[in-house]
Amino acid sequence: MDQHINFHATQPASAFYNNDKYIRTNFMEAGVQYMFNRDWGVMLEVPYWVRDYKGAYAGNNDGIHWYQNNSIGDIRIQGMYTGLSEDMSTGLLMGVKVPSGDWTYPPYDRDTQIGTGSTDLLMGVYHLGTLPTKLGTLPLTFMERPFNYFVQVNYDLPLWEQDQYTPGREVDGAVGAYYDFGKVGPLSELAPMLTFLAADRTRDTGNNAMPADSGYTRFMVAPGGEIQLGVIRAYADIEVPIFQNMRGYQLTAPFATKLILSYSF
């Protein structure tokens, strides 16, 4: 993700008003999910970030410098309960994010650090289903295969801070639809997908925060798709903002790309 467009409220703004000039981040993550039985499971996500930063700390847009920091990010551990319905289509998530990421790299402000330094409570809910032709009727199908949809909402609540900085509370949501063509050549799954993403984050707080230039509301559209070959599954998308409301002056990205490779064991 390349952040280089300075935004204020809902419009691009002059770069003069923001000492942050450019942020490029490569996000890599290793994760595992294990189901103990039909109803209960656990997930572990270990991120690693490579972040390049260009900024002017003198406050007058002079003396611009480049910096780079690489670090493990904040690790997430979550439990999963899928027993709300017989078909396991609805599930609950709850866990914690621990302050394992580097939040002390000297050239970076606290809101630019790879880690937040906070311990957060994570809560989520999701639901999977088939699109109906009309409310309460048979599923919408094509070539005798149904169109599917999914909905997910996650809430991130910081509980404990470090060094007088608390990141904002964040709600993230996704709603999407996909169609699985089934077996196509060597592939056992070929599923184009369209997802709409939403996020709302409150302002950061604390003496080492910059509340005036933090927090946002944004909506994105993410066309993508998933394929499966044996026990290997690959998902890719491109996430493009369609609305952004940034508090203060912040850098935004014109798009972000994602690739997920998974192995079923």
Side-chain angles (χ1 to χ4, degrees), residues 24-245:
R24 167 177 284 179
T25 311
N26 288 300
F27 308 89
M28 291 160 279
E29 181 171 283
V32 61
Q33 174 181 309
Y34 180 77
M35 298 300 296
F36 299 105
N37 52 46
R38 181 179 174 84
D39 294 340
W40 293 96
V42 64
M43 295 187 298
L44 172 67
E45 301 169 77
V46 181
Y48 187 86
W49 292 17
V50 178
R51 170 159 284 180
D52 294 304
Y53 172 84
K54 178 182 179 182
Y57 279 99
N60 56 6
N61 285 300
D62 293 328
I64 293 177
H65 299 283
W66 280 92
Y67 302 97
Q68 184 186 81
N69 191 25
N70 310 333
S71 169
I72 289 178
D74 292 338
I75 295 172
R76 295 170 177 254
I77 306 168
Q78 295 188 83
M80 176 191 304
Y81 177 69
T82 62
L84 294 176
S85 58
E86 182 62 29
D87 61 359
M88 302 172 64
S89 62
T90 305
L92 301 175
L93 304 172
M94 181 168 285
V96 294
K97 179 187 72 65
V98 299
S100 53
D102 184 4
W103 55 272
T104 61
Y105 185 58
Y108 289 2
D109 294 326
R110 285 299 300 272
D111 62 351
T112 314
Q113 299 283 354
I114 290 176
T116 64
S118 67
T119 300
D120 298 5
L121 174 66
L122 306 175
M123 295 175 286
V125 60
Y126 68 87
H127 177 72
L128 312 171
T130 57
L131 289 173
T133 51
K134 292 182 180 180
L135 188 62
T137 63
L138 295 175
L140 179 64
T141 61
F142 174 70
M143 297 175 59
E144 300 183 346
R145 300 182 69 89
F147 287 86
N148 302 282
Y149 73 90
F150 57 90
V151 179
Q152 182 165 346
V153 178
N154 295 302
Y155 182 55
D156 186 329
L157 175 64
L159 297 178
W160 294 285
E161 66 175 37
Q162 295 193 69
D163 195 28
Q164 303 182 67
Y165 171 81
T166 303
R169 301 183 302 276
E170 185 166 344
V171 178
D172 297 288
V175 57
Y178 64 96
Y179 178 81
D180 185 1
F181 284 93
K183 184 173 177 57
V184 178
L187 302 177
S188 56
E189 178 188 13
L190 174 61
M193 189 176 303
L194 181 65
T195 306
F196 292 93
L197 305 168
D200 184 79
R201 175 168 169 159
T202 62
R203 298 179 188 270
D204 302 339
T205 57
N207 290 338
N208 285 325
M210 292 187 291
D213 295 314
S214 60
Y216 53 78
T217 300
R218 63 188 180 193
F219 296 90
M220 295 181 288
V221 60
E226 185 172 83
I227 61 173
Q228 183 172 356
L229 179 63
V231 296
I232 303 296
R233 179 179 280 111
Y235 169 83
D237 70 21
I238 179 169
E239 301 170 5
V240 181
I242 53 179
F243 173 82
Q244 298 180 107
N245 185 0

